[in-house]
Amino acid sequence: MALFQPAPLQKGDRVALIAPSGPLPEGRLSLALDAIRARGLEPVAYPSVTQTHGYLAGADAVRAQDVNDAFADDSIKGVLCARGGYGAQRLYPRIDWENIRRHPKRFLGYSDITFFHLMLTQCCGMVSYHTPMPSTEWYEGLDEYTDSWLDKALFGDVWGELPNCDKAERKTVAPGKACGELTGGNLSLVASAVGTPYAMDAKDKIVFLEDVGERPYRVDGMLNHLVQSGALSGCRGIVLGYYTDCNPPKDKPSLTLDEVFDELLAPLGVPVLSGVTCGHSTPTLSLPIGCDAELDADAQTLRIVEGEK
């Protein structure tokens, strides 16, 4: 059954800016707010974007309250995560998921925000959007490809063919075709959630995975964990995005990422496509997590199926 697609934003809408994970770097808040205004939206800065608690943007209670308040306020039409980092998973028992289900709205972010993408789809039956964020990419200015897909995630719908940016090549890791609900996000977050109440449910779904700053042996370990734990059991296909700064060390023997993907994912018996331009780099797609997708690993295409609103 198709998940609920929150209404697109309109120019002039009030949107919440929250930091459910790490704190904003010094001086970045004003730049992020200006970037949001430049898109025709009116940002409302919630307390977490101004607080620091070690590597967290304020205490768990503060960050969770911002999430709950942003969804409960009917004058707020969308929720933008300022950045990723670490800490979103700590909020699981503090979030009012039923409140969110009653007040669905556009929710954007990526990286550590993967936790919310999984929970919004699995607990609330709501599509959310894997997109660049105001304090990490927007404030610097976006390339045309990234900007156009972000614009669709904010003000329209991300439906139809999802082509790579120019000169970016895809690779068929395992052949075949599949369709199913799109899930996943950051590999590190998906792997660490195994065995928890917020673990990814991959059954009958197409799983998207990307990461940053991990050596091939670390990517190997996380994918192996997903395979052997059964976390990928029942999935219909796998889409691999950017693996930014995940290169082998120059002074030690190593498998390449392509070899890791071939050895661990190809034997699963589902279509696997790598090299999709989405994740911790730009240019990047914006993906609607929870929408139905069609994967053709032979033709190296990914398509979002138009759903109900």
Side-chain angles (χ1 to χ4, degrees):
M1 184 176 69
L3 301 188
F4 181 78
Q5 181 100 311
L9 296 173
Q10 304 292 325
K11 298 291 185 179
D13 278 350
R14 299 175 79 239
V15 293
L17 183 66
I18 63 173
S21 302
L24 275 66
E26 185 176 355
R28 199 69 63 82
L29 176 57
S30 61
L31 295 173
L33 294 173
D34 287 345
I36 296 169
R37 294 188 185 102
R39 302 197 80 91
L41 299 168
E42 183 55 42
V44 179
Y46 278 62
S48 58
V49 298
T50 64
Q51 297 192 23
T52 299
H53 176 57
Y55 42 73
L56 303 170
D60 291 352
V62 172
R63 290 178 291 117
Q65 191 64 50
D66 280 1
V67 176
N68 291 333
D69 289 348
F71 275 98
D73 187 345
D74 289 335
S75 75
I76 297 293
K77 303 304 181 183
V79 182
L80 309 179
C81 296
R83 61 156 298 184
Y86 167 78
Q89 291 170 309
R90 291 176 53 152
L91 306 184
Y92 175 75
R94 297 174 180 266
I95 301 298
D96 187 344
W97 302 108
E98 178 59 24
N99 168 65
I100 293 176
R101 191 188 65 78
R102 294 195 306 267
H103 300 87
K105 54 193 69 176
R106 295 262 160 151
F107 181 93
L108 283 71
Y110 79 106
S111 193
D112 197 60
I113 308 306
T114 293
F115 162 75
F116 282 103
H117 291 316
L118 296 178
M119 291 297 91
L120 291 175
T121 56
Q122 294 173 193
C123 290
C124 306
M126 180 184 112
V127 172
S128 60
Y129 300 83
H130 183 288
T131 72
M133 296 177 285
S135 79
T136 56
E137 289 94 5
W138 295 24
Y139 81 98
E140 295 180 313
L142 301 174
D143 60 89
E144 183 178 354
Y145 177 90
T146 303
D147 187 81
S148 66
W149 287 103
L150 174 60
D151 201 61
K152 292 178 182 179
L154 287 166
F155 301 111
D157 296 296
V158 183
W159 287 337
E161 191 78 20
L162 302 182
N164 266 16
C165 62
D166 293 343
K167 300 180 181 179
E169 295 184 359
R170 296 177 177 179
K171 178 184 176 182
T172 301
V173 179
K177 301 178 182 179
C179 59
E181 181 186 309
L182 187 64
T183 189
N186 181 256
L187 171 61
S188 299
L189 271 292
V190 171
S192 67
V194 171
T196 71
Y198 44 85
M200 178 184 69
D201 177 8
K203 183 174 173 56
D204 296 328
K205 298 177 183 178
I206 293 174
V207 177
F208 166 72
L209 298 170
E210 61 81 37
D211 219 318
V212 61
E214 301 286 1
R215 294 294 193 191
Y217 82 92
R218 289 275 301 155
V219 175
D220 183 313
M222 290 184 283
L223 288 176
N224 185 58
H225 183 53
L226 294 182
V227 171
Q228 296 201 21
S229 68
L232 294 177
S233 296
C235 79
R236 294 182 175 176
I238 299 172
V239 175
L240 302 170
Y242 282 123
Y243 281 76
T244 306
D245 297 330
C246 293
N247 302 316
K250 295 180 179 180
D251 58 345
K252 296 179 181 179
S254 174
L255 296 175
T256 65
L257 282 178
D258 283 344
E259 289 173 324
V260 171
F261 298 151
D262 287 341
E263 293 178 12
L264 292 179
L265 299 180
L268 295 179
V270 299
V272 182
L273 179 65
S274 68
V276 172
T277 49
C278 186
H280 281 77
S281 190
T282 54
T284 183
L285 288 162
S286 290
L287 294 181
I289 304 298
C291 279
D292 288 339
E294 295 178 345
L295 169 63
D296 186 337
D298 302 303
Q300 301 180 342
T301 60
L302 179 65
R303 180 176 179 273
I304 302 299
V305 180
E306 183 171 343
E308 297 179 1
K309 295 183 181 180

